[in-house]
Amino acid sequence: MDEKILQLKKWIDESDNVVFFGGAGVSTESGIPDFHSVDGLYNQKWKYPPETILSHTFFTRYPEEYYRFHREKLVIDGVKPNAAHLKLAELEQKGKLRAVVTQNIDGLHQAAGSKKVLELHGSILRSYCSTCGCPYPADKMNHGEGVPKCRCGGVIRPDIVLYEEPLDDKIMYEAIDYIRNAEVLIIGGTSLNVYPAAGLINYYRGNKLVLVNLSATPYDSEADLVINEKIGKVFSQL
C-alpha cells in the first residue's frame, strides 16, 4: 500500500472525528460527468456553456432549453455509489466519520448509506414549484416532457442551487461547524475553485488536512497530506 494512503488510514483509525468534503470527482467514477469540463459534445449541441444554462436567469427566461439540458446531462439513470461513497458510509457506521459535506447533487452518498450528508448545492432528487413552493416528486421533473408545471401554474424546478443563487445559510453554517471542529478533514474530488463552497476549507483548525484529487489544487501547500490519485482507488484501500 502507498505510504501516503497508509498515513491516511492511520489518521482515520485513530480518530472518531473525521469530516469529508467532496466535489464532482467523487461521482465521476460512478459515471456522472463533471459538467465544468466543457467537451466537444457541449460545443456541438448546446448554444450556451453549462454555467449559463444552469443559472437562475437562464432557467427563468428559457425553461424549455434548461429542461432539455437538465434531462440529457444532469439526469443519469442507473448510477450506483462507488468505492468512495461506500467507504464513507462504512466509516460513519463505525463512528469514525461525523459528516459528509458535498457539492454534488446526485444523492449517491445517501444511496450508499450515509446519514449525515450536507448538500451545499441541493439535490436533483427533489423538486418544488418556483411560485408557491409546493414540493413535487422528482420524477416529473427528471423524466417528463417539456416544462413541468404546478397546479398553481408555476414552473416546477429542481431543489438545486443554480448559479446566481445563494447557498442555504443553515446548511452552510452546519458545514462550517463540522469542518471547524473536525480532527481529520479529508477533501476529495474537488479542484477547490468553486466558491463559496471552496472557502469552507479556511474554517478548519486542525493539523490533519488531507487533499485527495487527481490534479493539483490551490490549497496543496496548506495540506498536511496530498494524494494525487482517483478517490475511489484511495478509499478502496482504507
Side-chain angles (χ1 to χ4, degrees), residues 49-79:
E51 287 82 358
T52 299
I53 298 173
L54 294 171
S55 69
H56 177 84
T57 299
F58 192 93
F59 177 84
T60 303
R61 290 180 182 170
Y62 311 110
E64 299 90 351
E65 185 71 8
Y66 168 85
Y67 268 109
R68 192 168 74 85
F69 180 89
H70 176 102
R71 291 177 179 129
E72 182 156 339
K73 301 302 289 185
L74 298 189
V75 181
I76 314 288
D77 292 324
V79 292

PDB file of all heavy atoms in Angstrom, residues 49-79:
ATOM      1  N   PRO A  49     -22.782  27.754 -22.687  1.00  0.00           N
ATOM      2  CA  PRO A  49     -21.986  26.912 -21.782  1.00  0.00           C
ATOM      3  C   PRO A  49     -22.838  26.435 -20.613  1.00  0.00           C
ATOM      4  O   PRO A  49     -23.844  27.082 -20.269  1.00  0.00           O
ATOM      5  CB  PRO A  49     -20.868  27.850 -21.321  1.00  0.00           C
ATOM      6  CG  PRO A  49     -21.378  29.225 -21.545  1.00  0.00           C
ATOM      7  CD  PRO A  49     -22.314  29.145 -22.719  1.00  0.00           C
ATOM      8  N   PRO A  50     -22.483  25.303 -19.992  1.00  0.00           N
ATOM      9  CA  PRO A  50     -23.268  24.763 -18.880  1.00  0.00           C
ATOM     10  C   PRO A  50     -23.520  25.784 -17.775  1.00  0.00           C
ATOM     11  O   PRO A  50     -24.616  25.834 -17.205  1.00  0.00           O
ATOM     12  CB  PRO A  50     -22.415  23.600 -18.379  1.00  0.00           C
ATOM     13  CG  PRO A  50     -21.600  23.188 -19.538  1.00  0.00           C
ATOM     14  CD  PRO A  50     -21.336  24.429 -20.320  1.00  0.00           C
ATOM     15  N   GLU A  51     -22.506  26.605 -17.448  1.00  0.00           N
ATOM     16  CA  GLU A  51     -22.670  27.572 -16.367  1.00  0.00           C
ATOM     17  C   GLU A  51     -23.768  28.592 -16.677  1.00  0.00           C
ATOM     18  O   GLU A  51     -24.417  29.111 -15.773  1.00  0.00           O
ATOM     19  CB  GLU A  51     -21.342  28.296 -16.094  1.00  0.00           C
ATOM     20  CG  GLU A  51     -20.298  27.450 -15.405  1.00  0.00           C
ATOM     21  CD  GLU A  51     -19.541  26.547 -16.372  1.00  0.00           C
ATOM     22  OE1 GLU A  51     -19.860  26.558 -17.586  1.00  0.00           O
ATOM     23  OE2 GLU A  51     -18.649  25.821 -15.908  1.00  0.00           O
ATOM     24  N   THR A  52     -23.975  28.884 -17.955  1.00  0.00           N
ATOM     25  CA  THR A  52     -25.052  29.810 -18.342  1.00  0.00           C
ATOM     26  C   THR A  52     -26.403  29.129 -18.235  1.00  0.00           C
ATOM     27  O   THR A  52     -27.366  29.680 -17.680  1.00  0.00           O
ATOM     28  CB  THR A  52     -24.832  30.321 -19.779  1.00  0.00           C
ATOM     29  OG1 THR A  52     -23.588  31.028 -19.832  1.00  0.00           O
ATOM     30  CG2 THR A  52     -25.957  31.248 -20.217  1.00  0.00           C
ATOM     31  N   ILE A  53     -26.495  27.913 -18.762  1.00  0.00           N
ATOM     32  CA  ILE A  53     -27.765  27.169 -18.724  1.00  0.00           C
ATOM     33  C   ILE A  53     -28.214  26.917 -17.288  1.00  0.00           C
ATOM     34  O   ILE A  53     -29.401  26.982 -16.969  1.00  0.00           O
ATOM     35  CB  ILE A  53     -27.628  25.834 -19.486  1.00  0.00           C
ATOM     36  CG1 ILE A  53     -27.316  26.095 -20.962  1.00  0.00           C
ATOM     37  CG2 ILE A  53     -28.908  25.002 -19.359  1.00  0.00           C
ATOM     38  CD1 ILE A  53     -27.008  24.842 -21.766  1.00  0.00           C
ATOM     39  N   LEU A  54     -27.236  26.651 -16.416  1.00  0.00           N
ATOM     40  CA  LEU A  54     -27.565  26.329 -15.022  1.00  0.00           C
ATOM     41  C   LEU A  54     -27.596  27.569 -14.137  1.00  0.00           C
ATOM     42  O   LEU A  54     -27.281  27.504 -12.955  1.00  0.00           O
ATOM     43  CB  LEU A  54     -26.537  25.326 -14.478  1.00  0.00           C
ATOM     44  CG  LEU A  54     -26.567  23.953 -15.151  1.00  0.00           C
ATOM     45  CD1 LEU A  54     -25.382  23.110 -14.722  1.00  0.00           C
ATOM     46  CD2 LEU A  54     -27.870  23.230 -14.829  1.00  0.00           C
ATOM     47  N   SER A  55     -28.024  28.681 -14.706  1.00  0.00           N
ATOM     48  CA  SER A  55     -28.143  29.919 -13.936  1.00  0.00           C
ATOM     49  C   SER A  55     -29.607  30.251 -13.691  1.00  0.00           C
ATOM     50  O   SER A  55     -30.499  29.811 -14.422  1.00  0.00           O
ATOM     51  CB  SER A  55     -27.479  31.080 -14.683  1.00  0.00           C
ATOM     52  OG  SER A  55     -28.225  31.420 -15.844  1.00  0.00           O
ATOM     53  N   HIS A  56     -29.841  31.019 -12.652  1.00  0.00           N
ATOM     54  CA  HIS A  56     -31.206  31.429 -12.300  1.00  0.00           C
ATOM     55  C   HIS A  56     -31.847  32.221 -13.438  1.00  0.00           C
ATOM     56  O   HIS A  56     -33.003  31.990 -13.791  1.00  0.00           O
ATOM     57  CB  HIS A  56     -31.176  32.275 -11.022  1.00  0.00           C
ATOM     58  CG  HIS A  56     -32.514  32.810 -10.622  1.00  0.00           C
ATOM     59  ND1 HIS A  56     -33.427  32.072  -9.884  1.00  0.00           N
ATOM     60  CD2 HIS A  56     -33.132  33.994 -10.885  1.00  0.00           C
ATOM     61  CE1 HIS A  56     -34.524  32.789  -9.693  1.00  0.00           C
ATOM     62  NE2 HIS A  56     -34.372  33.958 -10.300  1.00  0.00           N
ATOM     63  N   THR A  57     -31.076  33.126 -14.018  1.00  0.00           N
ATOM     64  CA  THR A  57     -31.604  33.962 -15.099  1.00  0.00           C
ATOM     65  C   THR A  57     -32.028  33.112 -16.284  1.00  0.00           C
ATOM     66  O   THR A  57     -33.123  33.287 -16.845  1.00  0.00           O
ATOM     67  CB  THR A  57     -30.544  34.985 -15.557  1.00  0.00           C
ATOM     68  OG1 THR A  57     -30.213  35.830 -14.453  1.00  0.00           O
ATOM     69  CG2 THR A  57     -31.057  35.829 -16.706  1.00  0.00           C
ATOM     70  N   PHE A  58     -31.176  32.163 -16.680  1.00  0.00           N
ATOM     71  CA  PHE A  58     -31.479  31.315 -17.832  1.00  0.00           C
ATOM     72  C   PHE A  58     -32.702  30.442 -17.558  1.00  0.00           C
ATOM     73  O   PHE A  58     -33.586  30.309 -18.409  1.00  0.00           O
ATOM     74  CB  PHE A  58     -30.276  30.432 -18.165  1.00  0.00           C
ATOM     75  CG  PHE A  58     -30.380  29.748 -19.502  1.00  0.00           C
ATOM     76  CD1 PHE A  58     -29.840  30.321 -20.644  1.00  0.00           C
ATOM     77  CD2 PHE A  58     -31.027  28.519 -19.628  1.00  0.00           C
ATOM     78  CE1 PHE A  58     -29.949  29.698 -21.881  1.00  0.00           C
ATOM     79  CE2 PHE A  58     -31.135  27.889 -20.856  1.00  0.00           C
ATOM     80  CZ  PHE A  58     -30.603  28.482 -21.990  1.00  0.00           C
ATOM     81  N   PHE A  59     -32.754  29.847 -16.362  1.00  0.00           N
ATOM     82  CA  PHE A  59     -33.896  28.997 -16.007  1.00  0.00           C
ATOM     83  C   PHE A  59     -35.199  29.782 -16.085  1.00  0.00           C
ATOM     84  O   PHE A  59     -36.215  29.278 -16.584  1.00  0.00           O
ATOM     85  CB  PHE A  59     -33.720  28.429 -14.595  1.00  0.00           C
ATOM     86  CG  PHE A  59     -34.889  27.599 -14.133  1.00  0.00           C
ATOM     87  CD1 PHE A  59     -34.989  26.254 -14.473  1.00  0.00           C
ATOM     88  CD2 PHE A  59     -35.913  28.161 -13.369  1.00  0.00           C
ATOM     89  CE1 PHE A  59     -36.068  25.485 -14.070  1.00  0.00           C
ATOM     90  CE2 PHE A  59     -36.998  27.393 -12.963  1.00  0.00           C
ATOM     91  CZ  PHE A  59     -37.077  26.065 -13.310  1.00  0.00           C
ATOM     92  N   THR A  60     -35.183  31.010 -15.611  1.00  0.00           N
ATOM     93  CA  THR A  60     -36.391  31.845 -15.607  1.00  0.00           C
ATOM     94  C   THR A  60     -36.808  32.246 -17.015  1.00  0.00           C
ATOM     95  O   THR A  60     -37.991  32.216 -17.359  1.00  0.00           O
ATOM     96  CB  THR A  60     -36.148  33.110 -14.762  1.00  0.00           C
ATOM     97  OG1 THR A  60     -35.752  32.725 -13.443  1.00  0.00           O
ATOM     98  CG2 THR A  60     -37.409  33.951 -14.668  1.00  0.00           C
ATOM     99  N   ARG A  61     -35.823  32.557 -17.845  1.00  0.00           N
ATOM    100  CA  ARG A  61     -36.138  33.053 -19.195  1.00  0.00           C
ATOM    101  C   ARG A  61     -36.390  31.937 -20.209  1.00  0.00           C
ATOM    102  O   ARG A  61     -37.221  32.064 -21.101  1.00  0.00           O
ATOM    103  CB  ARG A  61     -34.992  33.930 -19.708  1.00  0.00           C
ATOM    104  CG  ARG A  61     -34.849  35.255 -19.002  1.00  0.00           C
ATOM    105  CD  ARG A  61     -33.693  36.049 -19.585  1.00  0.00           C
ATOM    106  NE  ARG A  61     -33.508  37.316 -18.895  1.00  0.00           N
ATOM    107  CZ  ARG A  61     -32.459  38.118 -19.064  1.00  0.00           C
ATOM    108  NH1 ARG A  61     -31.521  37.764 -19.937  1.00  0.00           N
ATOM    109  NH2 ARG A  61     -32.358  39.248 -18.410  1.00  0.00           N
ATOM    110  N   TYR A  62     -35.631  30.852 -20.099  1.00  0.00           N
ATOM    111  CA  TYR A  62     -35.700  29.793 -21.109  1.00  0.00           C
ATOM    112  C   TYR A  62     -35.881  28.415 -20.439  1.00  0.00           C
ATOM    113  O   TYR A  62     -35.002  27.553 -20.555  1.00  0.00           O
ATOM    114  CB  TYR A  62     -34.424  29.773 -21.956  1.00  0.00           C
ATOM    115  CG  TYR A  62     -34.018  31.122 -22.498  1.00  0.00           C
ATOM    116  CD1 TYR A  62     -32.881  31.763 -21.991  1.00  0.00           C
ATOM    117  CD2 TYR A  62     -34.747  31.754 -23.506  1.00  0.00           C
ATOM    118  CE1 TYR A  62     -32.498  32.998 -22.484  1.00  0.00           C
ATOM    119  CE2 TYR A  62     -34.362  32.986 -24.000  1.00  0.00           C
ATOM    120  CZ  TYR A  62     -33.241  33.610 -23.487  1.00  0.00           C
ATOM    121  OH  TYR A  62     -32.858  34.830 -23.969  1.00  0.00           O
ATOM    122  N   PRO A  63     -36.984  28.216 -19.743  1.00  0.00           N
ATOM    123  CA  PRO A  63     -37.165  26.938 -19.049  1.00  0.00           C
ATOM    124  C   PRO A  63     -37.170  25.726 -19.977  1.00  0.00           C
ATOM    125  O   PRO A  63     -36.714  24.642 -19.600  1.00  0.00           O
ATOM    126  CB  PRO A  63     -38.513  27.097 -18.326  1.00  0.00           C
ATOM    127  CG  PRO A  63     -39.225  28.193 -19.057  1.00  0.00           C
ATOM    128  CD  PRO A  63     -38.153  29.109 -19.552  1.00  0.00           C
ATOM    129  N   GLU A  64     -37.656  25.885 -21.216  1.00  0.00           N
ATOM    130  CA  GLU A  64     -37.666  24.756 -22.159  1.00  0.00           C
ATOM    131  C   GLU A  64     -36.238  24.304 -22.463  1.00  0.00           C
ATOM    132  O   GLU A  64     -35.929  23.113 -22.455  1.00  0.00           O
ATOM    133  CB  GLU A  64     -38.371  25.139 -23.468  1.00  0.00           C
ATOM    134  CG  GLU A  64     -39.828  25.528 -23.303  1.00  0.00           C
ATOM    135  CD  GLU A  64     -40.005  27.025 -23.050  1.00  0.00           C
ATOM    136  OE1 GLU A  64     -38.976  27.732 -22.841  1.00  0.00           O
ATOM    137  OE2 GLU A  64     -41.168  27.477 -23.037  1.00  0.00           O
ATOM    138  N   GLU A  65     -35.360  25.269 -22.752  1.00  0.00           N
ATOM    139  CA  GLU A  65     -33.971  24.938 -23.073  1.00  0.00           C
ATOM    140  C   GLU A  65     -33.255  24.381 -21.839  1.00  0.00           C
ATOM    141  O   GLU A  65     -32.455  23.451 -21.939  1.00  0.00           O
ATOM    142  CB  GLU A  65     -33.247  26.185 -23.587  1.00  0.00           C
ATOM    143  CG  GLU A  65     -31.823  25.945 -24.065  1.00  0.00           C
ATOM    144  CD  GLU A  65     -31.730  25.168 -25.362  1.00  0.00           C
ATOM    145  OE1 GLU A  65     -32.784  24.930 -26.008  1.00  0.00           O
ATOM    146  OE2 GLU A  65     -30.607  24.771 -25.735  1.00  0.00           O
ATOM    147  N   TYR A  66     -33.589  24.962 -20.682  1.00  0.00           N
ATOM    148  CA  TYR A  66     -32.990  24.447 -19.440  1.00  0.00           C
ATOM    149  C   TYR A  66     -33.346  22.979 -19.251  1.00  0.00           C
ATOM    150  O   TYR A  66     -32.472  22.151 -18.974  1.00  0.00           O
ATOM    151  CB  TYR A  66     -33.459  25.235 -18.204  1.00  0.00           C
ATOM    152  CG  TYR A  66     -33.069  24.522 -16.937  1.00  0.00           C
ATOM    153  CD1 TYR A  66     -31.805  24.693 -16.386  1.00  0.00           C
ATOM    154  CD2 TYR A  66     -33.927  23.586 -16.342  1.00  0.00           C
ATOM    155  CE1 TYR A  66     -31.405  23.969 -15.272  1.00  0.00           C
ATOM    156  CE2 TYR A  66     -33.538  22.862 -15.231  1.00  0.00           C
ATOM    157  CZ  TYR A  66     -32.275  23.057 -14.704  1.00  0.00           C
ATOM    158  OH  TYR A  66     -31.882  22.319 -13.609  1.00  0.00           O
ATOM    159  N   TYR A  67     -34.622  22.633 -19.412  1.00  0.00           N
ATOM    160  CA  TYR A  67     -35.051  21.255 -19.153  1.00  0.00           C
ATOM    161  C   TYR A  67     -34.528  20.268 -20.197  1.00  0.00           C
ATOM    162  O   TYR A  67     -34.330  19.088 -19.899  1.00  0.00           O
ATOM    163  CB  TYR A  67     -36.577  21.175 -19.010  1.00  0.00           C
ATOM    164  CG  TYR A  67     -36.976  21.326 -17.557  1.00  0.00           C
ATOM    165  CD1 TYR A  67     -37.615  22.468 -17.097  1.00  0.00           C
ATOM    166  CD2 TYR A  67     -36.661  20.332 -16.636  1.00  0.00           C
ATOM    167  CE1 TYR A  67     -37.942  22.614 -15.758  1.00  0.00           C
ATOM    168  CE2 TYR A  67     -36.982  20.468 -15.298  1.00  0.00           C
ATOM    169  CZ  TYR A  67     -37.615  21.609 -14.860  1.00  0.00           C
ATOM    170  OH  TYR A  67     -37.924  21.741 -13.526  1.00  0.00           O
ATOM    171  N   ARG A  68     -34.285  20.754 -21.394  1.00  0.00           N
ATOM    172  CA  ARG A  68     -33.670  19.887 -22.404  1.00  0.00           C
ATOM    173  C   ARG A  68     -32.268  19.487 -21.935  1.00  0.00           C
ATOM    174  O   ARG A  68     -31.878  18.318 -22.013  1.00  0.00           O
ATOM    175  CB  ARG A  68     -33.602  20.626 -23.751  1.00  0.00           C
ATOM    176  CG  ARG A  68     -33.243  19.734 -24.932  1.00  0.00           C
ATOM    177  CD  ARG A  68     -33.489  20.445 -26.252  1.00  0.00           C
ATOM    178  NE  ARG A  68     -32.495  21.470 -26.534  1.00  0.00           N
ATOM    179  CZ  ARG A  68     -31.322  21.235 -27.116  1.00  0.00           C
ATOM    180  NH1 ARG A  68     -30.992  19.992 -27.446  1.00  0.00           N
ATOM    181  NH2 ARG A  68     -30.477  22.209 -27.358  1.00  0.00           N
ATOM    182  N   PHE A  69     -31.529  20.448 -21.429  1.00  0.00           N
ATOM    183  CA  PHE A  69     -30.184  20.184 -20.898  1.00  0.00           C
ATOM    184  C   PHE A  69     -30.261  19.346 -19.624  1.00  0.00           C
ATOM    185  O   PHE A  69     -29.512  18.377 -19.450  1.00  0.00           O
ATOM    186  CB  PHE A  69     -29.492  21.523 -20.606  1.00  0.00           C
ATOM    187  CG  PHE A  69     -28.095  21.380 -20.063  1.00  0.00           C
ATOM    188  CD1 PHE A  69     -27.003  21.316 -20.923  1.00  0.00           C
ATOM    189  CD2 PHE A  69     -27.867  21.323 -18.694  1.00  0.00           C
ATOM    190  CE1 PHE A  69     -25.707  21.193 -20.422  1.00  0.00           C
ATOM    191  CE2 PHE A  69     -26.582  21.194 -18.188  1.00  0.00           C
ATOM    192  CZ  PHE A  69     -25.498  21.134 -19.056  1.00  0.00           C
ATOM    193  N   HIS A  70     -31.148  19.714 -18.731  1.00  0.00           N
ATOM    194  CA  HIS A  70     -31.314  19.035 -17.435  1.00  0.00           C
ATOM    195  C   HIS A  70     -31.519  17.532 -17.610  1.00  0.00           C
ATOM    196  O   HIS A  70     -30.831  16.716 -16.996  1.00  0.00           O
ATOM    197  CB  HIS A  70     -32.518  19.655 -16.707  1.00  0.00           C
ATOM    198  CG  HIS A  70     -32.861  19.002 -15.402  1.00  0.00           C
ATOM    199  ND1 HIS A  70     -32.526  19.551 -14.187  1.00  0.00           N
ATOM    200  CD2 HIS A  70     -33.513  17.848 -15.120  1.00  0.00           C
ATOM    201  CE1 HIS A  70     -32.954  18.749 -13.220  1.00  0.00           C
ATOM    202  NE2 HIS A  70     -33.558  17.725 -13.763  1.00  0.00           N
ATOM    203  N   ARG A  71     -32.460  17.182 -18.488  1.00  0.00           N
ATOM    204  CA  ARG A  71     -32.800  15.759 -18.640  1.00  0.00           C
ATOM    205  C   ARG A  71     -31.716  14.981 -19.385  1.00  0.00           C
ATOM    206  O   ARG A  71     -31.551  13.781 -19.157  1.00  0.00           O
ATOM    207  CB  ARG A  71     -34.146  15.630 -19.350  1.00  0.00           C
ATOM    208  CG  ARG A  71     -35.305  16.109 -18.464  1.00  0.00           C
ATOM    209  CD  ARG A  71     -36.643  16.064 -19.160  1.00  0.00           C
ATOM    210  NE  ARG A  71     -37.693  16.517 -18.244  1.00  0.00           N
ATOM    211  CZ  ARG A  71     -38.594  17.449 -18.550  1.00  0.00           C
ATOM    212  NH1 ARG A  71     -38.574  18.018 -19.742  1.00  0.00           N
ATOM    213  NH2 ARG A  71     -39.517  17.801 -17.661  1.00  0.00           N
ATOM    214  N   GLU A  72     -30.989  15.669 -20.237  1.00  0.00           N
ATOM    215  CA  GLU A  72     -29.966  14.947 -21.007  1.00  0.00           C
ATOM    216  C   GLU A  72     -28.630  14.860 -20.285  1.00  0.00           C
ATOM    217  O   GLU A  72     -27.933  13.853 -20.370  1.00  0.00           O
ATOM    218  CB  GLU A  72     -29.764  15.607 -22.374  1.00  0.00           C
ATOM    219  CG  GLU A  72     -28.757  14.858 -23.213  1.00  0.00           C
ATOM    220  CD  GLU A  72     -28.936  15.090 -24.707  1.00  0.00           C
ATOM    221  OE1 GLU A  72     -30.040  15.498 -25.119  1.00  0.00           O
ATOM    222  OE2 GLU A  72     -27.970  14.873 -25.447  1.00  0.00           O
ATOM    223  N   LYS A  73     -28.261  15.909 -19.538  1.00  0.00           N
ATOM    224  CA  LYS A  73     -26.928  15.963 -18.950  1.00  0.00           C
ATOM    225  C   LYS A  73     -26.900  15.763 -17.431  1.00  0.00           C
ATOM    226  O   LYS A  73     -25.914  15.276 -16.895  1.00  0.00           O
ATOM    227  CB  LYS A  73     -26.252  17.306 -19.279  1.00  0.00           C
ATOM    228  CG  LYS A  73     -26.118  17.571 -20.758  1.00  0.00           C
ATOM    229  CD  LYS A  73     -25.341  16.485 -21.491  1.00  0.00           C
ATOM    230  CE  LYS A  73     -23.871  16.484 -21.192  1.00  0.00           C
ATOM    231  NZ  LYS A  73     -23.134  15.486 -22.012  1.00  0.00           N
ATOM    232  N   LEU A  74     -27.936  16.175 -16.721  1.00  0.00           N
ATOM    233  CA  LEU A  74     -27.910  16.062 -15.254  1.00  0.00           C
ATOM    234  C   LEU A  74     -28.525  14.766 -14.753  1.00  0.00           C
ATOM    235  O   LEU A  74     -28.153  14.271 -13.686  1.00  0.00           O
ATOM    236  CB  LEU A  74     -28.643  17.248 -14.600  1.00  0.00           C
ATOM    237  CG  LEU A  74     -28.086  18.647 -14.854  1.00  0.00           C
ATOM    238  CD1 LEU A  74     -28.793  19.647 -13.956  1.00  0.00           C
ATOM    239  CD2 LEU A  74     -26.584  18.707 -14.634  1.00  0.00           C
ATOM    240  N   VAL A  75     -29.483  14.233 -15.493  1.00  0.00           N
ATOM    241  CA  VAL A  75     -30.172  13.008 -15.066  1.00  0.00           C
ATOM    242  C   VAL A  75     -29.473  11.803 -15.685  1.00  0.00           C
ATOM    243  O   VAL A  75     -29.525  11.584 -16.892  1.00  0.00           O
ATOM    244  CB  VAL A  75     -31.662  13.031 -15.489  1.00  0.00           C
ATOM    245  CG1 VAL A  75     -32.364  11.764 -15.016  1.00  0.00           C
ATOM    246  CG2 VAL A  75     -32.354  14.271 -14.927  1.00  0.00           C
ATOM    247  N   ILE A  76     -28.776  11.049 -14.843  1.00  0.00           N
ATOM    248  CA  ILE A  76     -28.067   9.850 -15.304  1.00  0.00           C
ATOM    249  C   ILE A  76     -28.691   8.652 -14.598  1.00  0.00           C
ATOM    250  O   ILE A  76     -28.449   8.421 -13.413  1.00  0.00           O
ATOM    251  CB  ILE A  76     -26.556   9.914 -14.973  1.00  0.00           C
ATOM    252  CG1 ILE A  76     -25.969  11.290 -15.340  1.00  0.00           C
ATOM    253  CG2 ILE A  76     -25.811   8.783 -15.658  1.00  0.00           C
ATOM    254  CD1 ILE A  76     -25.824  11.557 -16.796  1.00  0.00           C
ATOM    255  N   ASP A  77     -29.516   7.914 -15.288  1.00  0.00           N
ATOM    256  CA  ASP A  77     -30.220   6.778 -14.672  1.00  0.00           C
ATOM    257  C   ASP A  77     -29.285   5.580 -14.472  1.00  0.00           C
ATOM    258  O   ASP A  77     -28.371   5.353 -15.267  1.00  0.00           O
ATOM    259  CB  ASP A  77     -31.412   6.352 -15.540  1.00  0.00           C
ATOM    260  CG  ASP A  77     -32.514   7.405 -15.551  1.00  0.00           C
ATOM    261  OD1 ASP A  77     -32.727   8.046 -14.501  1.00  0.00           O
ATOM    262  OD2 ASP A  77     -33.148   7.604 -16.601  1.00  0.00           O
ATOM    263  N   GLY A  78     -29.539   4.843 -13.414  1.00  0.00           N
ATOM    264  CA  GLY A  78     -28.817   3.594 -13.184  1.00  0.00           C
ATOM    265  C   GLY A  78     -27.460   3.746 -12.532  1.00  0.00           C
ATOM    266  O   GLY A  78     -26.722   2.766 -12.402  1.00  0.00           O
ATOM    267  N   VAL A  79     -27.089   4.965 -12.123  1.00  0.00           N
ATOM    268  CA  VAL A  79     -25.773   5.131 -11.480  1.00  0.00           C
ATOM    269  C   VAL A  79     -25.810   4.564 -10.066  1.00  0.00           C
ATOM    270  O   VAL A  79     -26.835   4.584  -9.397  1.00  0.00           O
ATOM    271  CB  VAL A  79     -25.332   6.608 -11.440  1.00  0.00           C
ATOM    272  CG1 VAL A  79     -25.035   7.119 -12.822  1.00  0.00           C
ATOM    273  CG2 VAL A  79     -26.371   7.477 -10.743  1.00  0.00           C
TER     274      VAL A  79
END
